[in-house]
Amino acid sequence: MLNRRAFNLSVLLAASAAALRPDSVLARTQDPDEILLNRLTFGATPGSRERLASLGRADWLKEQLSLPPDDPALMAHLRTLTLRIKYAQRKGKSGPLWAATDELRPLDMLHTPPEERLKLTQNAPARAGPERRRPAHEVIAASLPRAVHAEAQLREVMTQFWHDHFNVYAEKGRLSAAFFPDFDRDLRAHALGNFRELLGEVATAPSMLDYLDNSRSKASPANENFARELLELHTLGAENYHNAQSADWRDVPRIEGGLAAGYVDEDVYEVARAFTGWSIGVGRRIGSAHLPATGQFAYVASWHDPYQKRILGRDFSSNRAPMADGEEVLDMLATHPGTARFICRKIARRLLIDDPSDALVARLAKEFLRRSEAPDQIGRVIQMLVEDPEFADTPPSKLRRPFELLAALYRTSGARVGSPEGRFYWQLASAGWRQHMVPPPTGQPDRTEDWASSTVMVRMIEMAMSAHEPWFDTTRDRLDALMPKDVETFGDLTRYWARQAHGDPGDGLDDLLQAVGVMPEDPLPNDAGDQRHLAAMALTFAAMSPRYLYR
């Protein structure tokens, strides 16, 4: 008789020990193609391995860089998904404000024009919170299916990267939530494109304008939130903050062309002035005029501070053309060597190693600046990173974060993903991952040390064991039904899931059998529930090996 409780405990202990092995284990020889797939996608699959073997590394990367953001097969799948909208009746003084609702609705807000979503923000007291937040929640609901099923895997990986980099707390306000589908779409469209174009989209995105309060920023005094994060998080980075050593702008060293090498607090104030009047078309009256009710970017000339400014040592004349101040700031920042180093270091950190060498960052930054006018500037930097000897010579050391692990599990199993109840989000939250719901502008952390705690590891093990259970409510595919019919013995079982997870049927899963005292030739139990449970345990153990956990 199979003792599931003892089996669970054995696997949990064995998997925990495997997951927390010292780094020396990771230095062993590993298939470079497998490493490439796990770094540039949300997880290797049999299909992606075959595609890479067929095309070769260079052409596979070229294909990934050229795939468009609109994937017809993925979009068709997203149109089949639903999200539960549920809330109780609320009564007002003169009667019900709204009726009780419990419905499964399609992800229509992903495609609804922004002017229609703007209506959700108006007459807010008469609208239930889940209705107002629905656009943001639909983006969250679509995030895992996109990560699992998108053909353009590199674009999806970089879309998540830019969401972390240009973080917006999707529920910060009614406008942030209403226009979050547009923000997500813009990041995906420009994820591999030109950084200046991406920066411009972010600076004019209604969700960002609302999140960092720039939509209400006007002269005397300007709101500094967006300006601070633009400099500290989006472009130059804190590494180029000179206030400690050069509090006066005159003392900041200069680079070629006369610009300051970094920024001080005075630059933050001046940048804030440059972006006054950058707002959102919500239909409100301003003086004798109305903002358009478009739900898109709108410029309010009467709010702009038109007077002379000095930013990074460059003088801006007064009374310039509409938006000229802000546009020039974005031009300066997008082509600044400090920005190039900061962005390239973060890309290398995401795709390679927590602390990329200064020499590698310098090579990437040079390419970043050389390609500043190229429509595929970001893609060119990624291509250079992948072709650099350090990419091949660096052993896996980046721990998959909870979202990445969950996506990889479903890619490994081949399950079809959709989550009408959004329960995967709450499972991820218990491991510290809050998809698009991080209040601070710093976004999700991206260093292995931030996720390598025993608490997170135990939650990831529990997710791996439960991800295909009906109560997890993310896939209807049974794990045992996803296996071929010729899996008849314990050895067949572990070899199959090792092959799915690692591309190698002999990758150490005999430890699992030893942990529960069975032999590889022992037949699997006949009970379907036991077979499903065993499959989950074998997949969990395969997923908790360093070879799978680290990219």
Side-chain angles (χ1 to χ4, degrees):
M1 175 71 102
L2 183 68
N3 185 328
R4 287 193 182 184
R5 183 173 182 180
F7 191 88
N8 284 354
L9 181 60
S10 297
V11 171
L12 185 63
L13 292 173
S16 297
L20 298 175
R21 287 174 189 170
D23 289 344
S24 60
V25 174
L26 301 174
R28 65 184 178 174
T29 302
Q30 190 170 342
D31 182 0
D33 286 352
E34 194 78 6
I35 294 175
L36 178 77
L37 289 171
N38 285 324
R39 284 175 175 167
L40 303 187
T41 77
F42 277 103
T45 67
S48 65
R49 293 179 185 115
E50 292 175 8
R51 187 67 177 167
L52 178 56
S54 171
L55 293 177
R57 293 165 66 90
D59 285 345
W60 180 88
L61 180 58
K62 182 178 179 181
E63 179 181 71
Q64 281 291 310
L65 290 170
S66 65
L67 287 171
D70 295 324
D71 179 341
L74 177 60
M75 297 306 293
H77 177 54
L78 293 179
R79 281 192 285 270
T80 69
L81 303 183
T82 56
L83 178 68
R84 185 172 295 280
I85 304 296
K86 182 179 181 179
Y87 47 88
Q89 181 189 56
R90 182 175 178 181
K91 294 181 180 179
K93 292 182 179 179
S94 58
L97 287 177
W98 58 72
T101 298
D102 186 355
E103 299 175 350
L104 286 173
R105 298 185 191 166
L107 305 186
D108 290 339
M109 292 293 170
L110 298 180
H111 318 290
T112 302
E115 61 267 25
E116 289 297 313
R117 281 181 269 115
L118 176 62
K119 297 174 183 177
L120 296 175
T121 72
Q122 299 167 336
N123 300 319
R127 296 182 187 274
E131 298 286 1
R132 298 196 302 269
R133 295 189 292 268
R134 181 183 167 191
H137 286 184
E138 286 192 8
V139 175
I140 294 170
S143 61
L144 187 62
R146 285 186 183 278
V148 174
H149 299 302
E151 181 184 6
Q153 278 286 297
L154 180 55
R155 185 178 293 276
E156 283 302 313
V157 168
M158 291 304 295
T159 299
Q160 181 65 60
F161 169 83
W162 293 120
H163 268 295
D164 291 341
H165 182 78
F166 296 114
N167 182 61
V168 166
Y169 176 32
E171 281 194 358
K172 190 261 185 178
R174 294 193 299 271
L175 297 177
S176 298
F179 305 124
F180 200 70
D182 307 301
F183 185 65
D184 178 67
R185 188 180 307 112
D186 288 342
L187 294 188
R188 182 168 289 102
H190 295 276
L192 301 171
N194 181 272
F195 182 73
R196 172 60 180 87
E197 291 182 10
L198 172 60
L199 194 61
E201 294 289 346
V202 169
T204 57
S207 284
M208 180 64 79
L209 288 164
D210 183 60
Y211 171 57
L212 292 179
D213 303 314
N214 209 73
S215 63
R216 296 176 291 279
S217 183
K218 59 183 77 172
S220 301
N223 188 293
E224 297 169 16
N225 289 353
F226 175 70
R228 174 74 64 181
E229 309 314 343
L230 176 65
L231 294 171
E232 182 176 329
L233 298 177
H234 299 169
T235 55
L236 292 173
E239 64 192 50
N240 289 297
Y241 180 52
H242 282 249
N243 230 63
Q245 61 269 42
S246 311
D248 190 301
W249 67 270
R250 298 174 186 84
D251 298 330
V252 179
R254 293 294 189 266
I255 60 173
E256 184 178 350
L259 281 184
Y263 69 99
V264 293
D265 283 341
E266 186 176 344
D267 291 301
V268 176
Y269 311 147
E270 296 290 271
V271 168
R273 293 177 59 213
F275 285 96
T276 49
W278 289 44
S279 191
I280 309 169
V282 294
R284 66 181 293 186
R285 178 180 288 277
I286 298 176
S288 60
H290 269 97
L291 285 179
T294 60
Q296 300 181 54
F297 173 79
Y299 179 69
V300 185
S302 62
W303 285 4
H304 183 62
D305 183 334
Y307 300 110
Q308 184 179 14
K309 305 169 184 69
R310 180 181 292 112
I311 299 171
L312 298 182
R314 178 181 293 179
D315 288 328
F316 287 39
S317 61
S318 59
N319 299 309
R320 305 174 80 199
M323 297 176 60
D325 288 345
E327 293 287 0
E328 184 168 351
V329 169
L330 297 180
D331 289 342
M332 292 162 56
L333 292 173
T335 55
H336 195 289
T339 296
R341 291 190 299 271
F342 180 62
I343 297 299
C344 290
R345 182 175 287 106
K346 288 193 71 172
I347 290 175
R349 178 175 298 142
R350 173 85 298 268
L351 299 180
L352 183 60
I353 191 171
D354 280 346
D355 295 304
S357 71
D358 290 340
L360 173 61
V361 171
R363 292 193 292 273
L364 298 178
K366 184 178 180 180
E367 179 74 355
F368 182 95
L369 294 173
R370 188 169 77 91
R371 302 288 185 179
S372 63
E373 301 291 331
D376 59 347
Q377 176 192 17
I378 299 165
R380 295 278 190 145
V381 169
I382 293 172
Q383 182 175 2
M384 187 175 193
L385 171 63
V386 174
E387 293 173 351
D388 194 282
E390 285 196 33
F391 190 89
D393 294 343
T394 301
S397 64
K398 288 289 293 185
L399 183 67
R400 291 191 200 266
R401 300 181 295 178
F403 180 86
E404 295 152 14
L405 178 71
L406 189 59
L409 285 167
Y410 292 122
R411 285 177 62 77
T412 293
S413 71
R416 199 75 169 154
V417 170
S419 185
E421 304 291 344
R423 289 178 182 163
F424 79 85
Y425 170 81
W426 300 109
Q427 298 298 324
L428 289 169
S430 71
W433 183 273
R434 293 170 176 83
Q435 183 74 2
H436 305 322
M437 296 282 277
V438 179
T442 46
Q444 307 275 4
D446 190 26
R447 294 183 66 88
T448 291
E449 64 196 36
D450 296 314
W451 300 98
S453 72
S454 58
T455 299
V456 172
M457 197 61 59
V458 168
R459 285 301 299 128
M460 293 209 293
I461 292 170
E462 291 173 347
M463 280 197 303
M465 291 195 296
S466 305
H468 295 81
E469 292 293 323
W471 64 264
F472 204 90
D473 198 40
T474 302
T475 181
R476 296 179 181 177
D477 292 333
R478 289 173 25 196
L479 201 54
D480 58 318
L482 294 169
M483 298 189 301
K485 299 298 183 184
D486 60 358
V487 174
E488 298 177 344
T489 68
F490 280 88
D492 293 339
L493 180 76
T494 57
R495 283 190 294 272
Y496 175 75
W497 287 114
R499 183 184 300 108
Q500 292 294 108
H502 311 142
D504 180 358
D507 192 39
L509 292 194
D510 286 349
D511 294 346
L512 172 62
L513 303 182
Q514 295 174 10
V516 293
V518 298
M519 301 298 292
E521 61 270 17
D522 288 348
L524 293 176
N526 293 325
D527 181 78
D530 283 344
Q531 288 189 10
R532 187 158 55 250
H533 190 73
L534 286 167
M537 295 302 101
L539 174 58
T540 299
F541 198 83
M544 290 302 113
S545 72
R547 192 168 178 178
Y548 194 90
L549 275 179
Y550 292 87
R551 302 182 292 101

